[in-house]
Every structure is written in C-alpha cells, then in structure tokens.
Amino acid sequence: MAKYLLVSFKTCPWVQRAAIVLREKNVAFEFRHIEPDNRPDWFLAISPHKKVPVLRVDEQVSLFESNAIAEYLDETIAPRLHPDDPIARAINRAWTDYVPTFAESTTSIAYADDEAAYKAAAAKIPVAFERLERALEKQSPSGPLFNGAKYSLVDAGYAPFLQRYHFLDRIKPLGVIEKFPRLKAWADALLKRPSTHSFPQVEFEAMYRANVKRRKKYLSHYIADVAVAAE
Ligand SMILES: N[C@@H](CCC(=O)N[C@@H](CS)C(=O)NCC(=O)O)C(=O)O
C-alpha cells in the first residue's frame, strides 16, 4: 500500500471529502493540518493553487482538487465506490460535478453581510435541495444513500456540505431541509456515518461556529462569543 499524506485546513470541506474516501477505504494516512494564514513553503511548493487538499503519495507525487483525489483513490484502492455500470457511473459523476454549485447554494448565507443578503442567499437553498431531492427519488427510492445501500463518491462529495447546512441551520434556523424528505434522510444517514467525521462532532461544530463568528458577517451576531480559535 502506498504512503499517503493529506494536507489540510482543519475545517475545509474539500479536505473532508478526500478524508472520507480514505476512511471509507480503510486506508491509513497521515493527516497534516496547516494554518490558512501561515502556509509553509513546503506546502506552497506542492500545491499549484496554494489550496488544500493536497494528497501526497509515497512522498513523490502531489495530487490536488478533491474530486481528482477521490477519483484517483477510487481507481487504485478497493472497494470501488463508483458503480460498475457505465451509465450509473456517468450519472454519479454528473452529480459529483454539481457539488460545487450545491456547496455555494447551501453555505453562502455564512458570508452574507446583512439581513437582506442573508435572505437572498437563503432563497437559493431550496433550488439546490429540490434538484437533489429529484435525483434521490430516481437513484435511491428507498435510501439511505445516494445509490441505495452502497456508499459512493457522491455520498462523500455531499456529506461535508450537508453537515455545514446542519450547522448553519442550528445557528439560525432555516427550516428548509424538512421540506425535502429524501434529502433529509440522506443527510441524517451521512451525518451518522463515522467516515464523515475527521474530528469529534461537538469539537468540530465549535470550530465551524468560531470560523463563522470570526468572519464578522450577518450570521456572526447569532453566535455567542467563543474562546476557541481554530481553522
Ligand atoms: N476545488 C477545490 C477547492 C479547494 C478549496 O477551495 N480549498 C480552500 C480551503 S476549504 C483553500 O485552500 N483556500 C485557500 C485559498 O483559496 O487560497 C477542491 O475541490 O479541492
């Protein structure tokens, strides 16, 4: 088995996606967290966009972009998470292509400057949720995962953002996911799954809230002062 080093910011959802795939495949890896505001030279030398995640393989090759990393891991380490059937695989890839749009739709409320911007951002959430609800209806009529019983790269792609929606919903209740029962059941299943979590859940939620608070945007006012400083 190759040696894997996953370079990370502690709360990065894209890192989390890569870590989930490693955990689903039961692969040992070194998880190295760096500070966003103090990226070391060795990292800048291996990360073309200066972003995390980077997956360093056998101290020789550096892979970047969470989707490319997930696909690489899936091609090289069993069990295969992509479906065997080419059509099913193409459909799964189409939905992993939608992850960045979904991420933007569900988390931009955390960057809104004021109430009007928050409301405008929140109005985009049901559009993205509706698309996934329809996809789940087709792919997974009885759940609990995107392809039914078998875990997939689609699950790994969406889990970090469904978790962030959950955190944001707990900062200031949005009440949107309840209108999408398949999506809600999928989110619940993913949040319960051990592979979703890189840190103890309470600790991680506190880190996430500290980040939102630190941004000093509209939602910051809904978070009590916190002593923790984490990224
Ligand atoms: N499309 C990239 C996104 C990665 C990304 O945006 N990472 C953020 C942290 S969550 C980052 O490194 N930001 C630093 C920067 O933009 O300079 C992926 O899927 O890996």
Side-chain angles (χ1 to χ4, degrees):
M1 177 73 69
K3 190 175 166 193
Y4 301 102
L5 165 68
L6 184 61
V7 189
S8 153
F9 301 161
K10 279 185 176 171
T11 56
C12 176
W14 307 102
V15 168
Q16 192 178 350
R17 176 193 207 172
I20 290 171
V21 177
L22 286 159
R23 286 191 286 265
E24 284 290 335
K25 287 173 180 282
N26 217 4
V27 172
F29 65 101
E30 182 190 343
F31 212 172
R32 195 177 299 171
H33 305 296
I34 59 170
E35 295 299 324
D37 298 333
N38 185 19
R39 300 175 211 185
D41 289 342
W42 62 262
F43 167 72
L44 297 175
I46 61 171
S47 179
H49 304 310
K50 318 299 175 208
K51 291 185 180 187
V52 292
V54 168
L55 182 73
R56 186 109 176 116
V57 183
D58 279 337
E59 296 176 7
Q60 282 174 0
V61 192
S62 299
L63 301 179
F64 58 102
E65 285 294 328
S66 59
N67 193 37
I69 292 170
E71 290 276 349
Y72 161 77
L73 292 170
D74 204 40
E75 283 173 16
T76 54
I77 308 166
R80 193 89 208 262
L81 300 180
H82 259 324
D84 292 332
D85 174 61
I87 297 282
R89 197 157 62 239
I91 291 169
N92 274 229
R93 286 192 169 123
W95 285 107
T96 55
D97 280 358
Y98 187 64
V99 171
T101 309
F102 184 86
E104 219 264 326
S105 310
T106 47
T107 59
S108 58
I109 49 171
Y111 299 87
D113 285 315
D114 53 33
E115 189 176 6
Y118 173 86
K119 283 189 173 157
K124 291 187 188 154
I125 298 174
V127 179
F129 278 12
E130 174 70 24
R131 289 190 185 165
L132 262 299
E133 184 75 7
R134 296 282 83 84
L136 288 162
E137 198 173 72
K138 277 197 185 149
Q139 287 295 120
S140 180
S142 48
L145 300 169
F146 188 77
N147 291 325
K150 191 172 176 294
Y151 198 87
S152 71
L153 291 186
V154 184
D155 298 300
Y158 284 88
F161 299 100
L162 289 166
Q163 184 187 37
R164 277 150 188 77
Y165 172 84
H166 174 70
F167 290 160
L168 291 166
D169 199 25
R170 279 160 54 89
I171 293 171
K172 180 168 165 48
L174 288 148
V176 181
I177 201 161
E178 292 75 6
K179 296 177 187 146
F180 301 93
R182 291 177 195 281
L183 185 68
K184 171 88 173 72
W186 188 34
D188 289 347
L190 291 174
L191 287 180
K192 276 201 206 112
R193 199 158 171 111
S195 70
T196 297
H197 307 285
S198 298
F199 299 94
Q201 293 188 53
V202 173
E203 184 188 322
F204 188 63
E205 184 169 10
M207 281 189 236
Y208 182 79
R209 291 170 79 97
N211 282 350
V212 174
K213 178 91 184 156
R214 203 175 313 114
R215 275 181 219 134
K216 296 191 168 41
K217 302 283 185 180
Y218 174 70
L219 264 193
S220 306
H221 305 302
Y222 291 83
I223 301 173
D225 284 334
V226 268
V228 230
E231 184 77 38

